[in-house]
Amino acid sequence: MTKFKFLNADDFFNNLLTIILFFILIFLLVFSVLFGKINLIELLLSDKSNDVKELIRVLILEIRLPRTILALIAGFSLGICGAAMQGLFRNPLADPSIIGVTSSAGLGSVIIFYFGLANIFFFALPLGGIIGAIIAVMVIFFIIQSNVSTLVIILTGVAISSFSSALTSLTLNLSPSPYAAYEIMFWLLGSLADKNLNHVLMITPITVLGWIIIIFSKKWFTALSLGEETAQSMGLDLRIFRSKIIIGSALSIGSVVSITGGIGFIGLVVPHLLRPLYNYNPEKLLLPSGIGGAIMLLLADIFIRLLDINPELQIGVVTAIIGAPFFIYLIFYIKRIQA
Amino acid sequence: MDRVSLDIRKKNILSEINILFRSGVLTGIVGPNGSGKTTILKIIANILTTYSGSICYNNRNYKKYSRLDLAKKISYLPQEITIAWPLSVYNVIMAGLIPFPDKELNNKKKDKRVNSIIEELNLKKFALKSVNILSTGERSRVCLARALVGNPNFLLADEPVSSLDPYYQLNILELILKRVKSGMGAIIIMHDLDLARRFCDNVVVIRDGKVIFNDRPHISLDNKNLKEIFAVEYDGNKLILS
Amino acid sequence: MYLVAIINTLNANNITAASINLCTDQYLYLIANKNQITSLSYMSKDKNISFISDKILDIKLNNGRAEEIIRQDPDIIFAGLGSSIATVSLLQKLNYKVVNISDAKNFKQIKEQVYLIAKLLHREKKGLELVNKIDNEIKKFFNYSKRKENKKVIIISPNGYVTGEDTLVGGILKEIGYTNVTSNLNISSYGRISLEQILYSDPEVVIIEDSYSDSVSLSQEFLNHSVIKYIVKKGEVLNLNKKLMNCSGPYSTKIIKELIK
């Protein structure tokens, strides 16, 4: 039956777009590894000694690769979780950083890290972030119940963010390390700098598990866009679905934040830009949002490395400079379509 | 013939509900506001699962069916429909096939089903438009198409026509009636007593969470009952305050 | 004659002082008479960074806040580079005499600072004694010719901060004969550089400053990065007492002693 030829064409266009995004991502990954303060190619051409080879090995393996993979994982998580939460709350403003999940994940990580609990076992630090994230989402659900009005979501997010930020600051002040108090910037704005492969190994399995949980429940996002009751009448067990999305997002966001700090707005900007290209279909939007999030974070990271400001800019500064005006635009957009 | 039998209670809302619904019958549920009509419908739709007593589908308890199995047999059209994103009409209708796994119904077959209901409900000219730009009446037809696309054995609808223009009121009810004639069961909460008398095969009157009458419309909605429950009565063909 | 001396001592003892900075804490401890000191900063009690932490048990400590200082009403308040500008200007507004002692970049400055503080406290004799002691130690320790052949050195602190040649430690290292990697990076005193720059600078001698190794922070975690481990493994590590990397003031001669070992 090909009465509506464009429908199949739509699918074709969507898949093509996803493949294009994927190739852009690959290009950026390679660029991110090759690009930096040290010009690899020049170095290789000028000197072929073993010393230089060793230097390049350490440079790629210990500095550039961890940073690049971290940008990929963090960006993908922020993008896919943004799309998932917007699907769950049926609201385009439900971004992990707006609703306060990022900052409370930061609080959980800070408590574990600065009191020296991170070495208890390998995944202790991400676990702190995950617990923080879960608490935030639970509080949001408790407060908003099924009232998903935009205002309530934003206000709840503001309350949770301020509260977690304050407690983060308090924890840093109470920490025995004299450096801690100056590290609030990292936790509030995030950074990908100076991380090593161990950090990447610590969060990758947990984060990817989060993505899988979200992607496996994807068909219900479309059902949910027709309303909670309609979705339930279609066979959705809302409580189980909610728990899956909360746990999936908390696993991803919580562990990412525990290593990169709170990078905001990616989950807000990326799904919104891609949504019309995927016919507003919330389930088709998940994977592209992940890829798009990784692209945006890699671009932001390459940008701050290009800027060459010393000390390096926090990456959250760049995402917020793009994201915050976008957030205001979105509020107007929502006002317009609701009117 | 398929049947749904209810024997349920729910604290503070439903005191005793005992009804049997059959396929091929259009049952109207009427009653004053707050009498528990919507609660009953949500329980049948498997949205509310906390109640005492039991519901059986074809003499088998609801709890023994999987959610998806019930969703394939019974579809629900809520009173207020807010669609979160400006999805296209085609996609909204396609969502009605979510309970059917791809193994059962592949994409090609799904597309065929959607196209045939678009034809049936005469939605072709909007098919690719966003539901958000349609009029209320057109959107109701899209939502009805979504509820019917899986060919359910029962359609549950909560006041599907109460906010519509007369044209769409009749249009929607006639579309449902057509399906009922070909064997589907329909359970519809009605606001408009005239329309209930005209379209329903059976009318269940609910008050204070109790079934008061369950009979043919002219019996359920005779003047004595109307006076007692709704404080109105028929004067010839006109409803007047009693 | 005898009487005049007694009066002079009394006068001297009348001048009281507080310090809100670790550098001046240590100066004050060595120069002032104990009853001249109204309070020292709480940092002087920190055994990680202070040489006098176990010697000042009966001296009051302050948190560097104006209200604590005012209550003790000292004649002079010694502050340093790291002191809060707000506190200093508030104290000055309240007509207190605040003396700023900057970070000394060489021994000449240290000796000048000793003289200045001693003069303000009327403890010139004690000051002279201290300067002589410093001079003697410098002579004793610096008694060598240049013996390191231009080895590249890096001093890394938490968070990627590096110390350049225009500092006390950097200056001493230069005097000994090291080349500081910061000289190619446009950093004269202190600056922050990236892991890539640290790796690329390819140092032969590494000095790592971690004054608070018993606590955790992201800044300190920088020092555990595999790249730092790599350059440490590749090069030679020079240990410097934690206390000497911060403000060691009159104790700074120990830096030479440790670096030429």
Side-chain angles (χ1 to χ4, degrees):
Chain A
M1 196 83 162
T2 45
K3 265 182 196 156
F4 299 105
K5 280 188 188 124
F6 346 81
L7 305 177
N8 296 325
D10 264 356
D11 265 350
F12 172 76
F13 174 71
N14 287 346
N15 292 338
L16 183 71
L17 192 63
T18 308
I19 291 167
I20 291 172
L21 285 175
F22 182 75
F23 277 107
I24 295 174
L25 177 63
I26 300 288
F27 170 78
L28 286 174
L29 288 174
V30 174
F31 185 77
S32 169
V33 171
L34 294 182
F35 167 79
K37 283 232 165 73
I38 304 176
N39 190 329
L40 277 184
I41 296 144
E42 213 171 79
L43 191 64
L44 259 179
L45 291 178
S46 66
D47 190 346
K48 290 195 175 61
S49 69
N50 278 340
D51 258 15
V52 168
K53 277 186 192 149
E54 176 67 6
L55 178 83
I56 291 175
R57 190 192 66 82
V58 176
L59 176 68
I60 290 186
L61 213 63
E62 306 291 352
I63 300 180
R64 302 248 179 108
L65 213 51
R67 187 168 186 152
T68 304
I69 299 175
L70 214 53
L72 167 72
I73 288 183
F76 196 100
S77 299
L78 294 168
I80 197 173
C81 293
M85 290 192 164
Q86 287 154 29
L88 181 64
F89 287 95
R90 312 188 337 121
N91 192 310
L93 294 178
D95 162 76
S97 60
I98 305 268
I99 62 176
V101 175
T102 317
S103 48
S104 67
L107 173 62
S109 324
V110 163
I111 291 173
I112 297 283
F113 183 76
Y114 287 92
F115 289 105
L117 306 173
N119 292 327
I120 294 179
F121 62 101
F122 190 63
F123 295 112
L125 184 58
L127 186 71
I130 292 164
I131 292 172
I134 287 185
I135 291 174
V137 192
M138 303 275 258
V139 170
I140 291 163
F141 266 112
F142 178 76
I143 291 176
I144 72 173
Q145 304 284 354
S146 60
N147 174 4
V148 281
S149 106
T150 301
L151 190 65
V152 175
I153 287 188
I154 296 176
L155 291 180
T156 311
V158 168
I160 294 177
S161 286
S162 329
F163 188 69
S164 325
S165 306
L167 286 188
T168 300
S169 188
L170 176 69
T171 313
L172 293 176
N173 276 318
L174 294 179
S175 151
S177 168
Y179 299 99
Y182 303 99
E183 287 167 3
I184 184 96
M185 281 252 289
F186 170 86
W187 293 105
L188 296 186
L189 288 168
S191 165
L192 298 172
D194 307 334
K195 300 295 170 189
N196 57 43
L197 270 182
N198 224 16
H199 290 128
V200 175
L201 290 178
M202 200 184 283
I203 62 165
T204 304
I206 309 176
T207 311
V208 173
L209 181 68
W211 305 348
I212 292 172
I213 293 174
I214 290 172
I215 287 184
F216 268 79
S217 341
K218 71 172 182 180
K219 76 168 178 182
W220 292 114
F221 283 109
T222 309
L224 206 57
S225 55
L226 305 180
E228 288 183 358
E229 286 173 358
T230 308
Q232 281 171 293
S233 75
M234 289 178 175
L236 168 68
D237 190 328
L238 195 58
R239 266 179 43 205
I240 291 179
F241 177 71
R242 266 185 190 159
S243 317
K244 278 185 186 168
I245 302 307
I246 290 174
I247 290 170
S249 311
L251 286 177
S252 298
I253 299 290
S255 46
V256 161
V257 170
S258 73
I259 299 297
T260 68
I263 302 171
F265 293 106
I266 288 194
L268 183 81
V269 176
V270 173
H272 186 78
L273 290 179
L274 293 175
R275 194 170 280 123
L277 302 176
Y278 287 87
N279 306 317
Y280 299 90
N281 187 324
E283 79 181 72
K284 284 186 187 160
L285 189 62
L286 289 173
L287 184 67
S289 292
I291 300 176
I295 290 176
M296 183 175 163
L297 197 58
L298 276 165
L299 279 176
D301 188 46
I302 291 168
F303 175 70
I304 58 171
R305 283 194 273 161
L306 270 173
L307 268 188
D308 202 20
I309 294 176
N310 235 337
E312 201 178 273
L313 219 57
Q314 307 289 132
I315 196 158
V317 172
V318 180
T319 58
I321 286 175
I322 302 168
F326 195 86
F327 179 56
I328 293 170
Y329 152 76
L330 260 182
I331 293 173
F332 279 108
Y333 168 86
I334 289 167
K335 251 172 84 179
R336 208 178 58 227
I337 61 166
Q338 279 178 352
Chain B
M1 195 167 65
D2 295 289
R3 44 171 60 201
V4 177
S5 55
L6 262 75
D7 178 8
I8 50 170
R9 283 159 300 282
K10 188 170 170 68
K11 210 180 159 197
N12 298 335
I13 304 174
L14 304 176
S15 50
E16 200 174 335
I17 299 291
N18 209 322
I19 323 173
L20 175 70
F21 298 101
R22 287 197 179 84
S23 59
V25 173
L26 202 164
T27 308
I29 300 182
V30 299
N33 290 334
S35 55
K37 295 169 292 185
T38 300
T39 309
I40 295 174
L41 218 58
K42 283 185 184 169
I43 288 173
I44 306 173
N46 207 21
I47 296 170
L48 289 179
T49 48
T50 50
Y51 53 86
S52 50
S54 65
I55 315 175
C56 292
Y57 186 90
N58 288 348
N59 295 328
R60 192 167 160 224
N61 196 302
Y62 253 40
K63 314 240 147 125
K64 289 184 180 158
Y65 289 92
S66 76
R67 278 176 176 271
L68 280 183
D69 275 342
L70 277 177
K72 281 183 232 166
K73 296 181 168 75
I74 297 170
S75 80
Y76 172 72
L77 192 57
Q79 184 178 5
E80 261 180 59
I81 300 147
T82 46
I83 296 173
W85 317 104
L87 292 172
S88 72
V89 167
Y90 178 88
N91 279 331
V92 169
I93 299 174
M94 184 61 101
L97 293 173
I98 285 172
F100 299 88
D102 290 344
K103 270 179 275 172
E104 222 167 285
L105 209 60
N106 64 27
N107 279 339
K108 221 171 155 188
K109 281 186 185 157
K110 283 185 179 173
D111 181 60
K112 209 169 155 182
R113 283 252 198 131
V114 175
N115 279 318
S116 82
I117 197 120
I118 283 175
E119 199 97 358
E120 181 185 337
L121 271 68
N122 201 11
L123 292 166
K124 216 168 151 184
K125 64 175 174 186
F126 323 116
L128 293 182
K129 290 210 173 114
S130 152
V131 281
N132 283 12
I133 61 162
L134 302 184
S135 72
T136 320
E138 288 160 351
R139 199 155 68 209
S140 300
R141 270 213 326 243
V142 173
C143 291
L144 179 66
R146 195 277 304 157
L148 293 178
V149 68
N151 293 332
N153 297 346
F154 281 92
L155 172 72
L156 316 176
D158 193 348
E159 300 196 16
V161 296
S162 42
S163 59
L164 301 183
D165 294 343
Y167 171 82
Y168 282 108
Q169 290 194 332
L170 297 178
N171 179 242
I172 297 263
L173 287 173
E174 262 159 21
L175 286 167
I176 295 174
L177 195 62
K178 215 169 100 191
R179 284 279 181 132
V180 170
K181 279 182 179 148
S182 56
M184 184 183 78
I187 305 163
I188 300 178
I189 295 177
M190 300 284 265
H191 198 64
D192 187 316
L193 300 175
D194 277 333
L195 288 173
R197 268 167 89 110
R198 192 169 140 195
F199 281 93
C200 297
D201 300 311
N202 227 14
V203 170
V204 178
V205 183
I206 311 269
R207 191 173 62 179
D208 301 331
K210 251 185 230 158
V211 177
I212 310 230
F213 279 96
N214 179 4
D215 214 320
R216 318 227 133 242
H218 61 276
I219 301 171
S220 283
L221 297 176
D222 68 3
N223 261 346
K224 189 173 145 273
N225 289 343
L226 285 179
K227 231 176 179 170
E228 191 188 323
I229 298 160
F230 296 101
V232 291
E233 60 187 320
Y234 273 99
D235 177 21
N237 271 335
K238 252 181 11 207
L239 270 179
I240 55 163
L241 289 175
S242 61
Chain C
M1 198 55 199
Y2 189 63
L3 197 71
V4 173
I6 289 175
I7 290 171
N8 264 346
T9 342
L10 278 177
N11 273 345
N13 290 346
N14 275 348
I15 294 182
T16 55
S19 159
I20 55 172
N21 173 278
L22 177 61
C23 282
T24 48
D25 287 340
Q26 305 188 66
Y27 278 125
L28 214 54
Y29 171 76
L30 285 181
I31 298 169
N33 198 336
K34 240 181 207 169
N35 58 21
Q36 287 182 288
I37 304 174
T38 61
S39 69
L40 298 178
S41 87
Y42 69 97
M43 282 183 290
S44 60
K45 196 87 189 195
D46 187 336
K47 63 180 188 316
N48 285 309
I49 51 175
S50 166
F51 282 98
I52 54 173
S53 60
D54 50 350
K55 297 172 187 159
I56 49 164
L57 302 172
D58 48 350
I59 294 178
K60 264 195 201 147
L61 298 180
N62 66 59
N63 281 302
R65 296 270 163 267
E67 49 186 308
E68 309 167 82
I69 308 291
I70 290 167
R71 227 174 22 202
Q72 299 160 355
D73 197 31
D75 298 318
I76 306 170
I77 296 148
F78 289 104
L81 211 59
S83 305
S84 146
I85 295 168
T87 309
V88 169
S89 61
L90 178 60
L91 287 168
Q92 278 168 338
K93 221 175 173 179
L94 296 171
N95 282 328
Y96 279 90
K97 182 173 184 181
V98 181
V99 178
N100 263 309
I101 302 291
S102 59
D103 266 11
K105 292 181 172 178
N106 49 48
F107 283 107
K108 189 169 164 258
Q109 284 180 8
I110 289 180
K111 286 187 271 183
E112 279 167 10
Q113 290 174 351
V114 172
Y115 279 134
L116 175 69
I117 294 170
K119 196 173 162 215
L120 289 169
L121 296 173
H122 294 302
R123 297 274 289 174
E124 285 90 344
K125 204 176 148 203
K126 187 81 188 168
L128 199 63
E129 265 172 39
L130 188 55
V131 168
N132 284 336
K133 194 180 160 213
I134 291 172
D135 272 335
N136 282 335
E137 281 178 351
I138 294 175
K139 257 183 225 146
K140 197 167 107 200
F141 298 139
F142 250 135
N143 194 9
Y144 62 93
S145 55
K146 284 193 180 180
R147 40 188 209 115
K148 313 274 172 181
E149 309 86 47
N150 263 352
K151 276 199 176 172
K152 274 194 281 182
V153 68
I154 189 167
I155 308 163
I156 312 174
S157 303
N159 224 354
Y161 279 95
V162 287
T163 304
E165 288 181 343
D166 196 17
T167 60
L168 190 60
V169 177
I172 295 169
L173 282 167
K174 193 181 174 187
E175 195 90 344
I176 298 172
Y178 289 105
T179 311
N180 199 319
V181 298
T182 53
S183 51
N184 292 326
L185 293 169
N186 235 345
I187 294 170
S188 59
S189 50
Y190 299 99
R192 197 174 159 193
I193 64 176
S194 69
L195 281 170
E196 289 202 11
Q197 285 169 313
I198 291 175
L199 181 67
Y200 192 59
S201 67
D202 195 24
E204 292 155 286
V205 177
V206 184
I207 298 175
I208 289 182
E209 183 235 332
D210 188 5
S211 304
Y212 295 89
S213 48
D214 52 348
S215 64
V216 208
S217 68
L218 292 167
S219 309
Q220 291 158 278
E221 191 150 273
F222 182 91
L223 302 175
N224 295 328
H225 196 281
S226 32
V227 167
I228 305 291
K229 284 184 183 145
Y230 170 78
I231 60 161
V232 162
K233 211 174 110 192
K234 206 175 153 212
E236 172 193 342
V237 179
L238 211 53
N239 284 316
L240 193 57
N241 188 323
K242 296 168 182 178
K243 297 171 190 171
L244 293 168
M245 288 300 301
N246 294 282
C247 186
S248 47
Y251 295 95
S252 299
T253 48
K254 290 178 199 277
I255 299 174
I256 315 172
K257 193 179 166 189
E258 296 217 357
L259 288 182
I260 60 171
K261 259 194 290 209

